[in-house]
Amino acid sequence: AEPPSHDPAEPVRRLSTRAQAYLVVAAVVGAGLFVQTVRQQWSGDVWQHAASIRAFEAHPLAPNHPLSVGLIDDPYFLNPWALAWGSFSRLTGLGTLTTLVAAGLVNMVLLGVGLYRLTIRVSASRWAPALTLLSVLLLWGPLPWRWSGYPNLNSIGFGLPYPSFLALALYLFGLTSVLDLTRAAEERRPLSWRHLATLAACVVISVLCHPLT
C-alpha cells in the first residue's frame, strides 16, 4: 500500500468558505477578462500606452516622449508602469501588444487579491468578499460610463492593462495597510515596518503611474 500523502495526525488545510466563494466569483469574472485581454479587445487609448512602452523599450534610461518630438517630461506617459513594461518587453523580446496582455493579466490578479485582502479586514462575513466583488462590478447602474480605471463590467476589460488599473490595485493594497496600522495603534501594538513600507510604496507608485486628474 502507498503511504499517505500527509501525516494523519496533522489537519489538512482547506480554503475557508469565504475564500472559496470569492474564488468562484473571481474565476467566472476572470475567465471573461482573460479572453478579452488575450484577444486584445481594448479601448483606443491602447496606442498611447503602447507608444509609452515602446519609448522605454527603445531607450530605457532616456525615453523620448511617445507622442511628441524630443525628450519631454510627461507623467501621463513616462512613468514607472511604462518603465517596467518597456523593460520587460526589451528583455523578453515580446511585442508591445503581447506585453500589454501580460500587463492586463498582472493587473487582474493584483485587483483580485487586493480587493479580497481589503474586504476581509472590514467584514468577518463569509460572503463579504464575493458580494463586494459583485458590487464593485455591477452597482454602477444599468448603463455605466465606460472609462479607464472604472472597475465596472462595461469598463474593466477595455482598460485592464493600463496604468490606471495598476494604480487602483495599489490603492487597495495601500488602504489595507492603513487599516492594519490603525488596528495596531488602537491595540497599542508596535507599528509594522512592513505595513509602513507597503503603504509608502503603494502611494508613491500609484501617484506616479496615474497622476490625479
Side-chain angles (χ1 to χ4, degrees), residues 40-205:
Q40 302 175 7
Q41 295 175 314
W42 303 312
S43 69
D45 292 345
V46 63
W47 303 115
Q48 299 175 5
H49 297 301
S52 298
I53 289 176
R54 293 192 67 180
F56 278 98
E57 181 183 0
H59 305 287
L61 300 181
N64 290 320
H65 192 282
L67 303 180
S68 303
V69 177
L71 181 61
I72 304 174
D73 291 334
D74 189 338
Y76 291 100
F77 295 103
L78 306 179
N79 52 55
W81 175 90
L83 171 61
W85 290 111
S87 301
F88 174 84
S89 182
R90 183 184 180 95
L91 291 173
T92 61
L94 297 175
T96 304
L97 293 181
T98 304
T99 296
L100 280 167
V101 170
L105 298 179
V106 169
N107 283 352
M108 180 175 67
V109 172
L110 289 176
L111 284 167
V113 173
L115 185 63
Y116 180 81
R117 293 180 73 250
L118 176 62
T119 306
I120 63 176
R121 298 303 198 280
V122 176
S123 174
S125 169
R126 67 179 63 181
W127 305 111
L131 292 176
T132 300
L133 176 56
L134 289 174
S135 298
V136 167
L137 295 169
L138 300 176
L139 291 187
W140 295 67
L143 295 174
W145 190 22
R146 180 175 294 172
W147 195 259
S148 176
Y150 284 13
N152 59 67
L153 279 182
N154 193 40
S155 301
I156 185 170
F158 292 94
L160 192 57
Y162 302 165
S164 55
F165 275 111
L166 174 61
L168 177 58
L170 293 177
Y171 170 79
L172 297 175
F173 280 92
L175 188 54
T176 300
S177 294
V178 170
L179 295 178
D180 289 338
L181 290 168
T182 302
R183 182 165 299 173
E186 291 176 346
E187 297 175 355
R188 301 184 182 277
R189 291 185 285 108
L191 299 183
S192 168
W193 285 104
R194 178 171 59 88
H195 294 148
L196 289 170
T198 299
L199 176 60
C202 289
V203 170
V204 171
I205 298 175

